Each structure stands twice: as C-alpha cells, then as structure tokens.
C-alpha cells in the first residue's frame, strides 16, 4: 500500500511516499481502509517538532474510511462500517496519510447514515476540541445536546478557523447564542454560514463595546484561540462564573490577565488539549458529535462556512504547507476514489 512517511523531523520535504505492507489489527484494534485524511496544525507541528519516538511515522491524526479488518475482542464495530477517525497517530506511528491504518477500536467511530467522508475527516481534532471547550463551564452542561446551552451565550474567538467553525456549529446545535470574531468580510461570511448569530470584527478598539451590546450581562463561554492577544478583552466581556477555554498559542506564547477582574467574576480559565484531556472527555465528545451528525448539524464546505481544499496522497507535503500557511477552512487529502 501507499504510505506517506517521515523518519526525521523538519520542513515538509521530510515527507516521502513509500510502499509499505498492510498491517494486521491486534487485540482491541481495527484496520481502516482510509478514504480521506484530514490535516490539522498539530500534524505539521509534530512533523516539524523536536523529534519522533519511532523509527518512522505516518502523519495525520484525523481521517475517514471503511473498516476492513477487526482484531480480537472488538465489539460494536464490523467489517464494512464507515467510520471517522481521531487521534490515529497519538502515541503510535500510524496516522491516516496511507491507504490502510490500524488503530485502537475506540478511535474509530461509526458514521451515521448519509454523512460524507469529507465531513467525517473534518471532525477529529477540531470538533473534539470545540466540544471540550464548550463543556468546561462551572455550572454548564458537561454534555451537549439540543437545548443544553439554551439561554447561554458563547463567544468564539476566530470564528473562521477549523476549531472555531466546529465550536459555532456545536454551540448553535446546543441552543446557544453565538458571537464570532473574525478579521475580514470574507471570514465574516464564513462564520455566518456556520451559524453564528452575531459577527464582531477584530482588531477593533470598540470590540468589547460591540460584544457587550450583544450580551449586556456578559458571555458565558469563550472559546479562545489567541489568549496572548485576547485575555484582557475576554475578562472584560465574560459573565460572572464564565469559562474561558483556551486551546492555542496563536500569536503569542504567554498571556497576562487582569487578576482582580478575573477573580471578581469567578472566571474559570480552562486549558484544553485534545491529547491529554482524558478518556471521559473523548467519549462524551464522540457520543455528542455523533448525535450532532445525525441531526445534520456539522456540514462542511464553503456554503457551511468551512471551505475545503483537497490534495492527493502524493501531495501530502503541500497539504501540510497549506495548513502551516493558514489557508482558511479545512485541508483534506483524497486517499481513495470514494472520498467525496
Ligand atoms: N489544544 C488543542 O487540543 C488544539 C486542538 C486543535 C487546534 N489547536 C491549535 O489551535 C490553533 C487553531 O487551529 P485551527 O485548526 O482552528 O486553525 P485555523 O483553521 O488556522 O484557525 C485559526 C484561526 O484563528 C484566528 N485568529 C488568530 N488570531 C486571532 C485573534 N487574535 N482573535 C481571534 N481570532 C484569531 C485566525 O483568523 P485570522 O487569520 O483571520 O486572524 C483563524 O481563523 C492552532 O494553533 C492549533 O495548533 C489546539
């Protein structure tokens, strides 16, 4: 089978196309014939990072495909099931940039009827991160469902990003009033198409006033991509007992926040990392995302606020470069013909 591999970290030129044998799933594992590989910033960051723990790594955490072999002791999944994949390359070298991947059965999730592989490969890292960010409020729901965020407001910082897009869709599905921040008219259109009720442009000295006009009592949940730039603004607009879930270090490695204003509002500053958040958070996200899929709440494509940019498996290096350069929307790799 065709695999994209790297054995040294570095720029995207370390990726090469190789012929590898198809592995058998061990106990508790499944083998998936990959149709689409989804690319996230984490994939190029791992590839460019300090080093790898294996002789050779196949990149990309997210993907979609069809189960074609099941290991001993696996229940609830069978050959022929269409699945979405998350954390395929977490603590193992077998990502989705290859024709077949073997992974723990609980990282392959059955797709509801009628959901395309393009949607499926866009879920993983973005949707699971967004789910966690929306469920860490001191008095908020730990699970999402229609109505679970009724009466609550959510501020999504960076509403045209992949995580931001998933956060808007999940929050709207759960009944929240959603405010999204964006840096351009084009991104405003995308955030609106994703379902955001209010759009606020940044940078803008009047940003806090705009948000307070929309949510006079403050916003309950903030999904934050750039705490280094937005911490003070977040504290200004957060409601009493609100949560500020920060998941990225975009535009700065450190942040400072006003202390008195933070504790006076009982603010919960909550870090989120999809790799380490734990099994309970993963399983809650998997179940709720599956229900949202069933409800048709997580579409992709420009008309749904998430333009898709496609590459072939052989072009995986270019796909990584596209994500690294900040292309708007989702970067997907077509691994098999039925990709979408
Ligand atoms: N902790 C985790 O588990 C986890 C999970 C997923 C992703 N991440 C990290 O999260 C980041 C985003 O990932 P992604 O896939 O969503 O990337 P993306 O699709 O490139 O989105 C990033 C978004 O952030 C926006 N942004 C940047 N600075 C902003 C600011 N000051 N205020 C508001 N929005 C701002 C960008 O908009 P403009 O370009 O218009 O400014 C862009 O829309 C990456 O660093 C990634 O590594 C972490």
């Amino acid at each position: 089978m065709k695999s994209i591999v790297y054995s040294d970290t570095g720029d995207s030129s370390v990726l090469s196309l190789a012929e590898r044998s198809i592995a058998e799933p061990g106990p508790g594992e499944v083998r998936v014939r990959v149709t689409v590989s989804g690319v996230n910033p984490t994939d190029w960051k791992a590839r460019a990072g300090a080093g790898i723990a294996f002789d050779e790594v196949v990149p990309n955490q997210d993907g979609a495909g069809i189960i074609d072999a099941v290991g001993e002791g696996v229940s609830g999944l069978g050959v022929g099931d269409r699945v979405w994949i998350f954390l395929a390359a977490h603590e193992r070298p077998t990502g989705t940039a290859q024709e077949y991947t073997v992974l723990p059965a609980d990282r392959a999730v059955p797709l509801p009827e009628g959901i395309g592989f393009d949607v499926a490969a866009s879920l993983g890292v973005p949707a699971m991160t967004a789910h966690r960010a929306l469920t860490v409020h001191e008095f908020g729901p730990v699970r999402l469902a229609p109505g679970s965020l009724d009466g609550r407001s959510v501020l999504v910082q960076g509403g045209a990003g992949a995580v931001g897009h998933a956060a808007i869709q999940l929050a709207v599905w759960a009944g929240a009033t959603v405010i999204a921040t964006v840096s351009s008219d084009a991104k405003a259109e995308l955030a609106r198409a994703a379902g955001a009720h209010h759009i606020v442009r940044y940078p803008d000295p009047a940003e806090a006033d705009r948000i307070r006009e929309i949510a006079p009592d403050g916003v309950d949940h903030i999904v934050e991509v750039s705490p280094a730039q937005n911490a003070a603004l977040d504290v200004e607009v957060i409601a009493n007992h609100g949560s500020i879930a920060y998941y990225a270090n975009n535009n700065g490695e450190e942040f400072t926040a006003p202390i008195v204003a933070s504790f006076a509002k009982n603010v919960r500053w909550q870090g989120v990392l999809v790799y380490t958040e734990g099994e309970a958070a993963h399983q809650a996200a998997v179940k709720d995302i599956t229900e949202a899929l069933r409800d048709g709440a997580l579409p992709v494509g420009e008309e749904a606020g998430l333009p898709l940019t496609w590459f072939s498996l052989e072009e995986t290096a270019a796909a990584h470069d596209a994500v690294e350069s900040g292309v708007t929307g989702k970067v997907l790799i077509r691994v098999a013909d039925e990709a979408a």
Side-chain angles (χ1 to χ4, degrees), residues 40-42 45 125 129 157-158 160-164 181 183 187 202 225-226 229-230 247-251 272-275 326-327 329:
N40 292 285
T42 190
K45 289 177 185 177
V125 168
T129 303
Q157 293 278 23
V163 177
T181 64
S183 64
K187 288 185 175 182
Y202 73 86
V225 67
S226 182
Q229 291 186 327
N230 295 330
Y247 62 90
N249 54 351
N250 286 38
N251 308 312
V272 170
L273 180 62
V274 71
Y275 294 111
V327 70

PDB file of all heavy atoms in Angstrom, residues 40-42 45 125 129 157-158 160-164 181 183 187 202 225-226 229-230 247-251 272-275 326-327 329, ligand 1:
ATOM      1  N   ASN A  40      -4.486  18.893  10.221  1.00  0.00           N
ATOM      2  CA  ASN A  40      -4.630  19.941  11.238  1.00  0.00           C
ATOM      3  C   ASN A  40      -3.269  20.542  11.536  1.00  0.00           C
ATOM      4  O   ASN A  40      -2.237  19.921  11.258  1.00  0.00           O
ATOM      5  CB  ASN A  40      -5.182  19.320  12.533  1.00  0.00           C
ATOM      6  CG  ASN A  40      -6.609  18.838  12.376  1.00  0.00           C
ATOM      7  OD1 ASN A  40      -7.532  19.634  12.336  1.00  0.00           O
ATOM      8  ND2 ASN A  40      -6.794  17.535  12.275  1.00  0.00           N
ATOM      9  N   PRO A  41      -3.251  21.733  12.170  1.00  0.00           N
ATOM     10  CA  PRO A  41      -1.952  22.315  12.548  1.00  0.00           C
ATOM     11  C   PRO A  41      -1.078  21.350  13.352  1.00  0.00           C
ATOM     12  O   PRO A  41       0.140  21.316  13.195  1.00  0.00           O
ATOM     13  CB  PRO A  41      -2.339  23.545  13.370  1.00  0.00           C
ATOM     14  CG  PRO A  41      -3.679  23.955  12.820  1.00  0.00           C
ATOM     15  CD  PRO A  41      -4.368  22.661  12.462  1.00  0.00           C
ATOM     16  N   THR A  42      -1.693  20.533  14.208  1.00  0.00           N
ATOM     17  CA  THR A  42      -0.906  19.603  15.031  1.00  0.00           C
ATOM     18  C   THR A  42      -0.059  18.664  14.179  1.00  0.00           C
ATOM     19  O   THR A  42       1.015  18.221  14.603  1.00  0.00           O
ATOM     20  CB  THR A  42      -1.844  18.800  15.972  1.00  0.00           C
ATOM     21  OG1 THR A  42      -1.059  18.089  16.905  1.00  0.00           O
ATOM     22  CG2 THR A  42      -2.752  17.842  15.217  1.00  0.00           C
ATOM     23  N   LYS A  45       2.997  20.547  12.987  1.00  0.00           N
ATOM     24  CA  LYS A  45       3.812  20.898  14.169  1.00  0.00           C
ATOM     25  C   LYS A  45       4.551  19.661  14.684  1.00  0.00           C
ATOM     26  O   LYS A  45       5.718  19.743  15.077  1.00  0.00           O
ATOM     27  CB  LYS A  45       2.929  21.510  15.266  1.00  0.00           C
ATOM     28  CG  LYS A  45       2.424  22.908  14.904  1.00  0.00           C
ATOM     29  CD  LYS A  45       1.486  23.466  15.969  1.00  0.00           C
ATOM     30  CE  LYS A  45       0.897  24.807  15.522  1.00  0.00           C
ATOM     31  NZ  LYS A  45      -0.069  25.358  16.485  1.00  0.00           N
ATOM     32  N   VAL A 125      -9.808  16.303  15.550  1.00  0.00           N
ATOM     33  CA  VAL A 125      -9.183  17.332  16.396  1.00  0.00           C
ATOM     34  C   VAL A 125     -10.077  18.569  16.547  1.00  0.00           C
ATOM     35  O   VAL A 125     -10.334  18.998  17.683  1.00  0.00           O
ATOM     36  CB  VAL A 125      -7.784  17.706  15.845  1.00  0.00           C
ATOM     37  CG1 VAL A 125      -7.253  18.951  16.522  1.00  0.00           C
ATOM     38  CG2 VAL A 125      -6.813  16.536  16.026  1.00  0.00           C
ATOM     39  N   THR A 129     -12.022  19.227  20.187  1.00  0.00           N
ATOM     40  CA  THR A 129     -11.515  20.381  20.941  1.00  0.00           C
ATOM     41  C   THR A 129     -12.655  21.345  21.239  1.00  0.00           C
ATOM     42  O   THR A 129     -12.798  21.851  22.363  1.00  0.00           O
ATOM     43  CB  THR A 129     -10.407  21.079  20.133  1.00  0.00           C
ATOM     44  OG1 THR A 129      -9.398  20.117  19.845  1.00  0.00           O
ATOM     45  CG2 THR A 129      -9.817  22.248  20.894  1.00  0.00           C
ATOM     46  N   GLN A 157     -13.715  33.059  19.558  1.00  0.00           N
ATOM     47  CA  GLN A 157     -12.645  33.912  19.039  1.00  0.00           C
ATOM     48  C   GLN A 157     -12.012  33.194  17.849  1.00  0.00           C
ATOM     49  O   GLN A 157     -11.448  32.114  17.989  1.00  0.00           O
ATOM     50  CB  GLN A 157     -11.589  34.156  20.131  1.00  0.00           C
ATOM     51  CG  GLN A 157     -12.089  34.990  21.294  1.00  0.00           C
ATOM     52  CD  GLN A 157     -12.044  36.488  21.005  1.00  0.00           C
ATOM     53  OE1 GLN A 157     -12.052  36.925  19.852  1.00  0.00           O
ATOM     54  NE2 GLN A 157     -11.994  37.291  22.052  1.00  0.00           N
ATOM     55  N   GLY A 158     -12.110  33.811  16.667  1.00  0.00           N
ATOM     56  CA  GLY A 158     -11.585  33.163  15.465  1.00  0.00           C
ATOM     57  C   GLY A 158     -12.619  32.245  14.836  1.00  0.00           C
ATOM     58  O   GLY A 158     -12.390  31.055  14.652  1.00  0.00           O
ATOM     59  N   ALA A 160     -13.670  31.775  11.895  1.00  0.00           N
ATOM     60  CA  ALA A 160     -13.450  31.153  10.580  1.00  0.00           C
ATOM     61  C   ALA A 160     -12.364  30.093  10.637  1.00  0.00           C
ATOM     62  O   ALA A 160     -11.997  29.519   9.610  1.00  0.00           O
ATOM     63  CB  ALA A 160     -13.101  32.218   9.537  1.00  0.00           C
ATOM     64  N   GLY A 161     -11.836  29.811  11.821  1.00  0.00           N
ATOM     65  CA  GLY A 161     -10.852  28.733  11.964  1.00  0.00           C
ATOM     66  C   GLY A 161     -11.548  27.376  12.012  1.00  0.00           C
ATOM     67  O   GLY A 161     -12.775  27.304  12.185  1.00  0.00           O
ATOM     68  N   ALA A 162     -10.774  26.315  11.879  1.00  0.00           N
ATOM     69  CA  ALA A 162     -11.371  24.973  11.877  1.00  0.00           C
ATOM     70  C   ALA A 162     -12.003  24.655  13.236  1.00  0.00           C
ATOM     71  O   ALA A 162     -13.145  24.183  13.311  1.00  0.00           O
ATOM     72  CB  ALA A 162     -10.328  23.928  11.511  1.00  0.00           C
ATOM     73  N   VAL A 163     -11.293  24.941  14.324  1.00  0.00           N
ATOM     74  CA  VAL A 163     -11.870  24.711  15.657  1.00  0.00           C
ATOM     75  C   VAL A 163     -13.019  25.693  15.879  1.00  0.00           C
ATOM     76  O   VAL A 163     -14.087  25.315  16.395  1.00  0.00           O
ATOM     77  CB  VAL A 163     -10.802  24.856  16.762  1.00  0.00           C
ATOM     78  CG1 VAL A 163     -11.446  24.692  18.139  1.00  0.00           C
ATOM     79  CG2 VAL A 163      -9.683  23.831  16.580  1.00  0.00           C
ATOM     80  N   GLY A 164     -12.809  26.948  15.484  1.00  0.00           N
ATOM     81  CA  GLY A 164     -13.851  27.963  15.644  1.00  0.00           C
ATOM     82  C   GLY A 164     -15.131  27.570  14.925  1.00  0.00           C
ATOM     83  O   GLY A 164     -16.244  27.721  15.461  1.00  0.00           O
ATOM     84  N   THR A 181     -15.810  36.179  16.373  1.00  0.00           N
ATOM     85  CA  THR A 181     -14.934  37.255  15.933  1.00  0.00           C
ATOM     86  C   THR A 181     -14.180  36.794  14.684  1.00  0.00           C
ATOM     87  O   THR A 181     -13.823  35.617  14.554  1.00  0.00           O
ATOM     88  CB  THR A 181     -13.919  37.666  17.016  1.00  0.00           C
ATOM     89  OG1 THR A 181     -13.041  36.581  17.287  1.00  0.00           O
ATOM     90  CG2 THR A 181     -14.619  38.093  18.285  1.00  0.00           C
ATOM     91  N   SER A 183     -11.508  38.463  11.175  1.00  0.00           N
ATOM     92  CA  SER A 183     -10.632  39.571  10.790  1.00  0.00           C
ATOM     93  C   SER A 183     -10.932  40.145   9.408  1.00  0.00           C
ATOM     94  O   SER A 183     -10.247  41.062   8.969  1.00  0.00           O
ATOM     95  CB  SER A 183      -9.170  39.095  10.812  1.00  0.00           C
ATOM     96  OG  SER A 183      -8.986  38.097   9.831  1.00  0.00           O
ATOM     97  N   LYS A 187     -14.245  36.273   5.999  1.00  0.00           N
ATOM     98  CA  LYS A 187     -14.349  35.363   7.147  1.00  0.00           C
ATOM     99  C   LYS A 187     -15.667  35.589   7.898  1.00  0.00           C
ATOM    100  O   LYS A 187     -16.225  34.652   8.482  1.00  0.00           O
ATOM    101  CB  LYS A 187     -13.144  35.532   8.067  1.00  0.00           C
ATOM    102  CG  LYS A 187     -11.878  34.954   7.428  1.00  0.00           C
ATOM    103  CD  LYS A 187     -10.676  34.992   8.327  1.00  0.00           C
ATOM    104  CE  LYS A 187      -9.518  34.263   7.624  1.00  0.00           C
ATOM    105  NZ  LYS A 187      -8.310  34.186   8.427  1.00  0.00           N
ATOM    106  N   TYR A 202     -12.313  42.021  14.352  1.00  0.00           N
ATOM    107  CA  TYR A 202     -11.133  42.393  15.104  1.00  0.00           C
ATOM    108  C   TYR A 202     -10.011  42.653  14.118  1.00  0.00           C
ATOM    109  O   TYR A 202     -10.086  42.138  12.993  1.00  0.00           O
ATOM    110  CB  TYR A 202     -10.738  41.292  16.109  1.00  0.00           C
ATOM    111  CG  TYR A 202     -10.134  40.060  15.452  1.00  0.00           C
ATOM    112  CD1 TYR A 202      -8.771  39.987  15.170  1.00  0.00           C
ATOM    113  CD2 TYR A 202     -10.930  38.975  15.073  1.00  0.00           C
ATOM    114  CE1 TYR A 202      -8.239  38.869  14.547  1.00  0.00           C
ATOM    115  CE2 TYR A 202     -10.399  37.868  14.452  1.00  0.00           C
ATOM    116  CZ  TYR A 202      -9.051  37.824  14.186  1.00  0.00           C
ATOM    117  OH  TYR A 202      -8.512  36.737  13.566  1.00  0.00           O
ATOM    118  N   VAL A 225      -8.708  31.108  20.830  1.00  0.00           N
ATOM    119  CA  VAL A 225      -7.578  30.647  20.018  1.00  0.00           C
ATOM    120  C   VAL A 225      -6.306  31.454  20.281  1.00  0.00           C
ATOM    121  O   VAL A 225      -5.206  30.991  20.018  1.00  0.00           O
ATOM    122  CB  VAL A 225      -7.955  30.696  18.507  1.00  0.00           C
ATOM    123  CG1 VAL A 225      -8.151  32.139  18.036  1.00  0.00           C
ATOM    124  CG2 VAL A 225      -6.917  30.010  17.640  1.00  0.00           C
ATOM    125  N   SER A 226      -6.453  32.671  20.810  1.00  0.00           N
ATOM    126  CA  SER A 226      -5.287  33.547  20.955  1.00  0.00           C
ATOM    127  C   SER A 226      -5.299  34.266  22.310  1.00  0.00           C
ATOM    128  O   SER A 226      -5.481  35.486  22.378  1.00  0.00           O
ATOM    129  CB  SER A 226      -5.258  34.581  19.812  1.00  0.00           C
ATOM    130  OG  SER A 226      -4.124  35.392  19.915  1.00  0.00           O
ATOM    131  N   GLN A 229      -3.367  37.517  22.795  1.00  0.00           N
ATOM    132  CA  GLN A 229      -3.913  38.783  22.297  1.00  0.00           C
ATOM    133  C   GLN A 229      -5.233  39.153  22.965  1.00  0.00           C
ATOM    134  O   GLN A 229      -5.564  40.329  23.053  1.00  0.00           O
ATOM    135  CB  GLN A 229      -4.133  38.698  20.775  1.00  0.00           C
ATOM    136  CG  GLN A 229      -2.832  38.628  19.992  1.00  0.00           C
ATOM    137  CD  GLN A 229      -3.041  38.683  18.493  1.00  0.00           C
ATOM    138  OE1 GLN A 229      -4.031  38.193  17.970  1.00  0.00           O
ATOM    139  NE2 GLN A 229      -2.080  39.279  17.792  1.00  0.00           N
ATOM    140  N   ASN A 230      -5.975  38.175  23.414  1.00  0.00           N
ATOM    141  CA  ASN A 230      -7.365  38.447  23.796  1.00  0.00           C
ATOM    142  C   ASN A 230      -7.693  38.323  25.281  1.00  0.00           C
ATOM    143  O   ASN A 230      -8.846  38.531  25.671  1.00  0.00           O
ATOM    144  CB  ASN A 230      -8.302  37.495  23.031  1.00  0.00           C
ATOM    145  CG  ASN A 230      -8.276  37.730  21.529  1.00  0.00           C
ATOM    146  OD1 ASN A 230      -8.057  38.853  21.075  1.00  0.00           O
ATOM    147  ND2 ASN A 230      -8.485  36.678  20.755  1.00  0.00           N
ATOM    148  N   TYR A 247      -7.174  27.028  23.870  1.00  0.00           N
ATOM    149  CA  TYR A 247      -6.659  25.775  23.299  1.00  0.00           C
ATOM    150  C   TYR A 247      -5.476  26.000  22.375  1.00  0.00           C
ATOM    151  O   TYR A 247      -4.991  25.036  21.774  1.00  0.00           O
ATOM    152  CB  TYR A 247      -7.789  25.048  22.546  1.00  0.00           C
ATOM    153  CG  TYR A 247      -8.351  25.824  21.376  1.00  0.00           C
ATOM    154  CD1 TYR A 247      -7.817  25.682  20.102  1.00  0.00           C
ATOM    155  CD2 TYR A 247      -9.397  26.725  21.551  1.00  0.00           C
ATOM    156  CE1 TYR A 247      -8.315  26.396  19.027  1.00  0.00           C
ATOM    157  CE2 TYR A 247      -9.900  27.448  20.492  1.00  0.00           C
ATOM    158  CZ  TYR A 247      -9.359  27.282  19.231  1.00  0.00           C
ATOM    159  OH  TYR A 247      -9.850  28.011  18.174  1.00  0.00           O
ATOM    160  N   ALA A 248      -5.023  27.252  22.218  1.00  0.00           N
ATOM    161  CA  ALA A 248      -3.958  27.501  21.232  1.00  0.00           C
ATOM    162  C   ALA A 248      -3.068  28.643  21.694  1.00  0.00           C
ATOM    163  O   ALA A 248      -3.442  29.434  22.568  1.00  0.00           O
ATOM    164  CB  ALA A 248      -4.562  27.829  19.874  1.00  0.00           C
ATOM    165  N   ASN A 249      -1.908  28.707  21.081  1.00  0.00           N
ATOM    166  CA  ASN A 249      -0.938  29.762  21.382  1.00  0.00           C
ATOM    167  C   ASN A 249      -0.730  30.655  20.167  1.00  0.00           C
ATOM    168  O   ASN A 249       0.362  31.174  19.951  1.00  0.00           O
ATOM    169  CB  ASN A 249       0.394  29.144  21.831  1.00  0.00           C
ATOM    170  CG  ASN A 249       0.919  28.133  20.814  1.00  0.00           C
ATOM    171  OD1 ASN A 249       0.218  27.781  19.864  1.00  0.00           O
ATOM    172  ND2 ASN A 249       2.137  27.674  20.999  1.00  0.00           N
ATOM    173  N   ASN A 250      -1.790  30.825  19.359  1.00  0.00           N
ATOM    174  CA  ASN A 250      -1.646  31.675  18.173  1.00  0.00           C
ATOM    175  C   ASN A 250      -1.250  33.088  18.574  1.00  0.00           C
ATOM    176  O   ASN A 250      -1.830  33.678  19.480  1.00  0.00           O
ATOM    177  CB  ASN A 250      -2.960  31.691  17.385  1.00  0.00           C
ATOM    178  CG  ASN A 250      -3.185  30.388  16.628  1.00  0.00           C
ATOM    179  OD1 ASN A 250      -2.874  29.315  17.136  1.00  0.00           O
ATOM    180  ND2 ASN A 250      -3.699  30.480  15.424  1.00  0.00           N
ATOM    181  N   ASN A 251      -0.231  33.591  17.922  1.00  0.00           N
ATOM    182  CA  ASN A 251       0.236  34.978  18.115  1.00  0.00           C
ATOM    183  C   ASN A 251       0.785  35.265  19.501  1.00  0.00           C
ATOM    184  O   ASN A 251       0.707  36.399  19.976  1.00  0.00           O
ATOM    185  CB  ASN A 251      -0.881  35.980  17.795  1.00  0.00           C
ATOM    186  CG  ASN A 251      -1.481  35.733  16.433  1.00  0.00           C
ATOM    187  OD1 ASN A 251      -0.748  35.569  15.464  1.00  0.00           O
ATOM    188  ND2 ASN A 251      -2.788  35.679  16.353  1.00  0.00           N
ATOM    189  N   VAL A 272      -7.181  23.540  27.387  1.00  0.00           N
ATOM    190  CA  VAL A 272      -7.758  22.384  26.674  1.00  0.00           C
ATOM    191  C   VAL A 272      -6.700  21.802  25.748  1.00  0.00           C
ATOM    192  O   VAL A 272      -6.142  22.519  24.912  1.00  0.00           O
ATOM    193  CB  VAL A 272      -8.982  22.829  25.824  1.00  0.00           C
ATOM    194  CG1 VAL A 272      -9.439  21.702  24.899  1.00  0.00           C
ATOM    195  CG2 VAL A 272     -10.135  23.294  26.710  1.00  0.00           C
ATOM    196  N   LEU A 273      -6.404  20.528  25.917  1.00  0.00           N
ATOM    197  CA  LEU A 273      -5.545  19.839  24.947  1.00  0.00           C
ATOM    198  C   LEU A 273      -6.179  18.492  24.637  1.00  0.00           C
ATOM    199  O   LEU A 273      -6.354  17.652  25.529  1.00  0.00           O
ATOM    200  CB  LEU A 273      -4.118  19.649  25.477  1.00  0.00           C
ATOM    201  CG  LEU A 273      -3.176  18.936  24.478  1.00  0.00           C
ATOM    202  CD1 LEU A 273      -3.005  19.742  23.194  1.00  0.00           C
ATOM    203  CD2 LEU A 273      -1.816  18.661  25.101  1.00  0.00           C
ATOM    204  N   VAL A 274      -6.515  18.302  23.390  1.00  0.00           N
ATOM    205  CA  VAL A 274      -7.269  17.108  22.995  1.00  0.00           C
ATOM    206  C   VAL A 274      -6.511  15.821  23.321  1.00  0.00           C
ATOM    207  O   VAL A 274      -7.117  14.802  23.674  1.00  0.00           O
ATOM    208  CB  VAL A 274      -7.667  17.200  21.499  1.00  0.00           C
ATOM    209  CG1 VAL A 274      -6.479  17.031  20.575  1.00  0.00           C
ATOM    210  CG2 VAL A 274      -8.767  16.226  21.156  1.00  0.00           C
ATOM    211  N   TYR A 275      -5.177  15.853  23.284  1.00  0.00           N
ATOM    212  CA  TYR A 275      -4.398  14.634  23.537  1.00  0.00           C
ATOM    213  C   TYR A 275      -4.489  14.180  24.995  1.00  0.00           C
ATOM    214  O   TYR A 275      -4.431  12.993  25.279  1.00  0.00           O
ATOM    215  CB  TYR A 275      -2.923  14.872  23.205  1.00  0.00           C
ATOM    216  CG  TYR A 275      -2.658  15.117  21.742  1.00  0.00           C
ATOM    217  CD1 TYR A 275      -2.255  16.367  21.292  1.00  0.00           C
ATOM    218  CD2 TYR A 275      -2.803  14.093  20.814  1.00  0.00           C
ATOM    219  CE1 TYR A 275      -2.007  16.594  19.951  1.00  0.00           C
ATOM    220  CE2 TYR A 275      -2.562  14.314  19.472  1.00  0.00           C
ATOM    221  CZ  TYR A 275      -2.166  15.568  19.043  1.00  0.00           C
ATOM    222  OH  TYR A 275      -1.933  15.795  17.722  1.00  0.00           O
ATOM    223  N   GLY A 326      -1.772  28.774   6.892  1.00  0.00           N
ATOM    224  CA  GLY A 326      -3.011  29.365   7.428  1.00  0.00           C
ATOM    225  C   GLY A 326      -4.143  29.430   6.432  1.00  0.00           C
ATOM    226  O   GLY A 326      -5.003  30.305   6.532  1.00  0.00           O
ATOM    227  N   VAL A 327      -4.176  28.508   5.462  1.00  0.00           N
ATOM    228  CA  VAL A 327      -5.277  28.503   4.496  1.00  0.00           C
ATOM    229  C   VAL A 327      -6.601  28.451   5.273  1.00  0.00           C
ATOM    230  O   VAL A 327      -6.708  27.763   6.293  1.00  0.00           O
ATOM    231  CB  VAL A 327      -5.142  27.311   3.508  1.00  0.00           C
ATOM    232  CG1 VAL A 327      -5.396  25.983   4.196  1.00  0.00           C
ATOM    233  CG2 VAL A 327      -6.061  27.456   2.332  1.00  0.00           C
ATOM    234  N   GLY A 329     -10.231  27.416   6.219  1.00  0.00           N
ATOM    235  CA  GLY A 329     -11.080  26.248   6.025  1.00  0.00           C
ATOM    236  C   GLY A 329     -10.351  24.975   6.361  1.00  0.00           C
ATOM    237  O   GLY A 329      -9.465  24.954   7.209  1.00  0.00           O
TER     238      GLY A 329
HETATM  239  N1  LIG B   1      -5.340  22.398  22.315  1.00  0.00           N
HETATM  240  C1  LIG B   1      -5.805  21.565  21.386  1.00  0.00           C
HETATM  241  O1  LIG B   1      -6.187  20.414  21.679  1.00  0.00           O
HETATM  242  C2  LIG B   1      -5.884  22.039  19.974  1.00  0.00           C
HETATM  243  C3  LIG B   1      -6.787  21.426  19.087  1.00  0.00           C
HETATM  244  C4  LIG B   1      -6.911  21.951  17.810  1.00  0.00           C
HETATM  245  C5  LIG B   1      -6.130  23.020  17.410  1.00  0.00           C
HETATM  246  N2  LIG B   1      -5.242  23.549  18.274  1.00  0.00           N
HETATM  247  C6  LIG B   1      -4.451  24.724  17.883  1.00  0.00           C
HETATM  248  O2  LIG B   1      -5.392  25.747  17.657  1.00  0.00           O
HETATM  249  C7  LIG B   1      -4.955  26.627  16.671  1.00  0.00           C
HETATM  250  C8  LIG B   1      -6.038  26.799  15.642  1.00  0.00           C
HETATM  251  O3  LIG B   1      -6.284  25.580  14.975  1.00  0.00           O
HETATM  252  P1  LIG B   1      -7.274  25.549  13.743  1.00  0.00           P
HETATM  253  O4  LIG B   1      -7.185  24.221  13.128  1.00  0.00           O
HETATM  254  O5  LIG B   1      -8.610  26.088  14.138  1.00  0.00           O
HETATM  255  O6  LIG B   1      -6.523  26.630  12.820  1.00  0.00           O
HETATM  256  P2  LIG B   1      -7.075  27.621  11.705  1.00  0.00           P
HETATM  257  O7  LIG B   1      -8.142  26.950  10.915  1.00  0.00           O
HETATM  258  O8  LIG B   1      -5.880  28.149  11.012  1.00  0.00           O
HETATM  259  O9  LIG B   1      -7.764  28.781  12.549  1.00  0.00           O
HETATM  260  C9  LIG B   1      -7.081  29.705  13.319  1.00  0.00           C
HETATM  261  C10 LIG B   1      -7.993  30.906  13.431  1.00  0.00           C
HETATM  262  O10 LIG B   1      -7.577  31.730  14.493  1.00  0.00           O
HETATM  263  C11 LIG B   1      -7.888  33.059  14.126  1.00  0.00           C
HETATM  264  N3  LIG B   1      -7.167  34.007  14.969  1.00  0.00           N
HETATM  265  C12 LIG B   1      -5.842  34.205  15.073  1.00  0.00           C
HETATM  266  N4  LIG B   1      -5.594  35.200  15.950  1.00  0.00           N
HETATM  267  C13 LIG B   1      -6.784  35.609  16.434  1.00  0.00           C
HETATM  268  C14 LIG B   1      -7.198  36.604  17.359  1.00  0.00           C
HETATM  269  N5  LIG B   1      -6.318  37.385  17.987  1.00  0.00           N
HETATM  270  N6  LIG B   1      -8.500  36.757  17.638  1.00  0.00           N
HETATM  271  C15 LIG B   1      -9.415  35.978  17.017  1.00  0.00           C
HETATM  272  N7  LIG B   1      -9.091  35.017  16.110  1.00  0.00           N
HETATM  273  C16 LIG B   1      -7.794  34.846  15.817  1.00  0.00           C
HETATM  274  C17 LIG B   1      -7.488  33.104  12.679  1.00  0.00           C
HETATM  275  O11 LIG B   1      -8.091  34.147  11.989  1.00  0.00           O
HETATM  276  P3  LIG B   1      -7.225  35.299  11.265  1.00  0.00           P
HETATM  277  O12 LIG B   1      -6.137  34.593  10.484  1.00  0.00           O
HETATM  278  O13 LIG B   1      -8.201  35.991  10.435  1.00  0.00           O
HETATM  279  O14 LIG B   1      -6.661  36.143  12.362  1.00  0.00           O
HETATM  280  C18 LIG B   1      -8.011  31.770  12.174  1.00  0.00           C
HETATM  281  O15 LIG B   1      -9.343  31.882  11.701  1.00  0.00           O
HETATM  282  C19 LIG B   1      -3.641  26.035  16.144  1.00  0.00           C
HETATM  283  O16 LIG B   1      -2.569  26.685  16.795  1.00  0.00           O
HETATM  284  C20 LIG B   1      -3.711  24.588  16.576  1.00  0.00           C
HETATM  285  O17 LIG B   1      -2.438  24.002  16.725  1.00  0.00           O
HETATM  286  C21 LIG B   1      -5.112  23.102  19.551  1.00  0.00           C
END
